[in-house]
Amino acid sequence: MAACTPSTAHMAFAISPTLAGRRAAWQLARCSRCSRCTRRAATMKSSSVDIGHLREDYSTTPLNESDMAAHPMQQFASWFADAQSASLHEPNAMCIATTDSETLAPSARMVLLKSFDERGLVFYTNYGSRKGSELARNPRIAAVFWWGPLDRSVRVEGTAEKVTAAESEAYFQSRPLGSRVAAAASLQSREVSSRAALEEKWAEKEQQADQGQVQRPEDWG
């Protein structure tokens, strides 16, 4: 999607993440026809785990200002290299948060970082998705990386902007065929009339793929 352009004044790196003492209301979606959902709910109710006493000692690696790079993205590059060297599962996974400009309701989801440079972080999405729509109206964005085995969390705040069509096209064409078909067939975050309709759209795009005609959707980048 967009390049998350960090502002030095608004960019923060944290070694020891803390759990904010705030409560959020959650709803467990249960399917009336699915016994698995019922069993899951029963298991949650009977759990005796005291979540308040789940904790780790994040003291293995000190954070000294004298060790920090002069530019935030230089420091990020160093830490990202550490995460790659540690063979972490998907070290490029990050949680990004956006906000509805009218209701001020926040939303967060996991995406994959696909590149970064001095301009900021880059990920891709459908512009019509919830995050894409919210960023179009309010470009403020926050991202968090969590590299547990390294006792390290990285928090980034900034503004989002679209990368060029050429950058989007180059990345889209580098994706596996199945991923390109999926991007062309699905309207992210939007309701579908039925699974059959989605599968029909998938088959249509798959047939086009066989003919070498999978094009990047205009609302994807």
Side-chain angles (χ1 to χ4, degrees), residues 72-152:
M73 292 310 299
Q74 292 176 341
Q75 187 60 50
F76 178 81
S78 175
W79 279 345
F80 190 78
D82 290 344
Q84 288 183 293
S85 298
S87 299
L88 303 185
H89 178 64
E90 294 191 325
N92 59 328
M94 60 180 179
C95 179
I96 61 169
T98 57
T99 305
D100 185 287
S101 60
E102 296 182 0
T103 65
L104 301 183
S107 61
R109 74 289 290 163
M110 300 300 297
V111 301
L112 295 177
L113 173 71
K114 287 304 176 181
S115 66
F116 65 88
D117 55 26
E118 68 281 353
R119 299 174 300 171
L121 314 177
V122 177
F123 65 95
Y124 293 90
T125 188
N126 186 298
Y127 293 143
S129 64
R130 178 173 177 177
K131 57 183 172 295
S133 298
E134 290 182 346
L135 288 171
R137 294 189 294 268
N138 175 17
R140 298 295 299 174
I141 187 172
V144 177
F145 293 83
W146 168 237
W147 299 318
L150 299 180
D151 288 350
R152 180 171 291 159

Side-chain angles (χ1 to χ4, degrees), residues 4 6 10-13 76 121 141-145 154-158:
C4 175
H10 294 95
M11 191 168 187
F13 296 103
F76 178 81
L121 314 177
I141 187 172
V144 177
F145 293 83
V154 179
R155 185 163 58 90
V156 182
E157 297 178 6

